[in-house]
Amino acid sequence: MEKVKIIQTAHYVPDLVVSNDDLSQIMTTSDEWISKRTGIKRRHVSLGENTSDLCTKVASDLLAQSGWQASQLDLIIVATMSPDAYTPATAAIVQGNIEATNAFAFDLAAACSGFAYAFEVASQFITTGRAKKVMILGGEVLSKVVDWQDRTTAVLFGDGAAGVLLTESDDQAAILASDLQTFGSEAAKLSAGLNQPLTSFGDFKPKQISAFAMDGHAVYNFATREVPASLKRACDQADLELAEIDHFILHQANERIIKAIAKRLKLPLGKFAVNISEYGNTSAASEPILLDELVKQNKVKRGQIIALSGFGGGLTVGTQIIRY
């Protein structure tokens, strides 16, 4: 996997900002209640832009910044749990929007681990020679799948998209290790979607799409247990000590989870960047949004070693160790 590197990063979020105080006007909650339990102060919410719209803006930005032409892309992967539709794939819509006529495109569904899983898939296409220039996007419009009367879930999520361009490496920048794990026996701990027909059929009656539901305590325990284990396995694979990682870029699900992971690994909290206060949980978009911010702020620099780690629905966890 030493032949793959990140060329460019970018992100985009909708203009509308919804604060915790705004949410207190439509449900029984408060800024203090949300901030204390999650670290979230505000989130960006789409008013009409769908997931493909957010991803298309990121895709266009990636191309503009890198100087690549859309026609040069071989593959586009969109990681999302809130696609525009069951079909066509959101990635196909993005491919059409940017006129990437030579790229094949598909979606990947691994919830909040989606970006990590897409990263692994894209890397394999590059290392096998099937693709040379790849775009990975994590995009979510979670505002369309949450119950805005349920304070246990609605306060957590935000909309946004981000992504990277990958290609073959001709220098030291490289993906050093990858660790993916799925725990399907715990799938019910975090879910949304359908389990019955939309229309009457025999004895079945129509059922609405179910809103996002989560066992917060179980997911917290899962994340604080399995993310440190995944990071350790990836470091072992890369023949690195945890202390050699310059930046830990974790899925922004809950600030308390990130602090607990840092404590469990006995690492300084300063290595764990956090931006959840501004964006909330943007699922598959959270890692690449944070990565792009750190790159643009010149905090993540070429030659540094970073750990990307996502965790969530499936239940799943995914980690990459990268020499940026």
Side-chain angles (χ1 to χ4, degrees):
M1 291 170 54
E2 67 276 11
K3 295 291 186 181
V4 180
K5 69 176 180 180
I6 298 172
I7 293 295
Q8 191 65 58
T9 64
H11 82 276
Y12 170 80
V13 291
D15 292 333
L16 177 63
V17 176
V18 177
S19 69
N20 292 342
D21 287 332
D22 292 331
L23 291 182
S24 70
Q25 304 302 308
I26 63 172
M27 64 180 73
T28 305
T29 191
S30 67
D31 175 63
E32 180 182 10
W33 190 91
I34 299 170
S35 298
K36 182 178 179 180
R37 288 163 176 78
T38 68
I40 299 168
K41 299 292 290 185
R42 61 193 65 85
R43 71 284 297 145
H44 294 251
V45 174
S46 171
L47 288 178
E49 291 178 303
N50 214 332
T51 306
S52 66
D53 298 313
L54 306 189
C55 288
T56 296
K57 290 184 177 180
V58 174
S60 298
D61 195 11
L62 286 169
L63 294 174
Q65 291 186 63
S66 66
W68 286 11
Q69 300 299 310
S71 59
Q72 294 178 288
L73 292 172
D74 300 308
L75 168 62
I76 300 170
I77 303 175
V78 171
T80 185
M81 60 173 283
S82 55
D84 284 25
Y86 298 131
T87 192
T90 301
I93 299 172
V94 174
Q95 186 253 25
N97 288 346
I98 65 173
E99 299 182 356
T101 53
N102 295 312
F104 61 102
F106 58 86
D107 290 354
L108 188 151
C112 303
S113 299
F115 188 77
Y117 276 54
F119 211 112
E120 170 72 2
V121 172
S123 300
Q124 295 300 325
F125 273 104
I126 293 172
T127 57
T128 59
R130 178 62 180 84
K132 291 186 177 181
K133 294 182 184 294
V134 178
M135 178 182 289
I136 309 173
L137 303 167
E140 306 285 6
V141 178
L142 296 170
S143 57
K144 66 185 180 184
V145 298
V146 298
D147 178 355
W148 285 97
Q149 300 304 312
D150 179 5
R151 74 170 187 169
T152 66
T153 57
V155 302
L156 302 176
F157 298 101
D159 301 337
V164 300
L165 295 177
L166 298 182
T167 191
E168 295 174 308
S169 175
D170 55 5
D171 54 32
Q172 288 190 329
I175 300 174
L176 305 178
S178 182
D179 177 77
L180 307 180
Q181 300 286 325
T182 299
F183 303 83
S185 61
E186 299 186 64
K189 298 295 191 296
L190 197 160
S191 64
L194 288 168
N195 59 14
Q196 288 187 17
L198 283 171
T199 58
S200 297
F201 180 78
D203 293 333
F204 288 110
K205 300 300 179 184
K207 183 174 181 178
Q208 285 186 315
I209 296 174
S210 60
F212 195 89
M214 178 176 63
D215 181 337
H217 184 69
V219 172
Y220 178 93
N221 289 338
F222 168 81
T224 55
R225 179 182 70 249
E226 297 300 338
V227 174
S230 180
L231 287 164
K232 289 177 182 178
R233 286 192 297 267
C235 281
D236 287 345
Q237 186 186 140
D239 196 24
L240 292 169
E241 297 295 327
L242 284 164
E244 295 180 81
I245 305 297
D246 294 298
H247 302 278
F248 290 84
I249 301 174
L250 307 188
H251 167 51
Q252 303 291 292
N254 186 308
E255 188 173 10
R256 293 169 61 198
I257 290 176
I258 295 169
K259 289 179 177 178
I261 290 170
K263 183 176 181 180
R264 180 163 292 194
L265 292 174
K266 299 179 180 179
L267 292 170
L269 191 58
K271 286 194 172 189
F272 294 77
V274 177
N275 67 357
I276 192 171
S277 64
E278 174 63 28
Y279 303 106
N281 180 342
T282 55
S283 188
S286 76
E287 291 167 73
I289 287 176
L290 180 55
L291 173 62
D292 183 51
E293 287 193 327
L294 295 175
V295 169
K296 296 298 193 298
Q297 295 164 6
N298 201 34
K299 292 179 180 178
V300 168
K301 303 175 183 180
R302 288 295 178 186
Q304 290 186 324
I305 298 175
I306 62 176
L308 296 174
S309 192
F311 52 90
L315 294 176
T316 55
V317 63
T319 297
Q320 274 87 30
I321 307 296
I322 300 166
R323 183 182 292 112
Y324 185 76

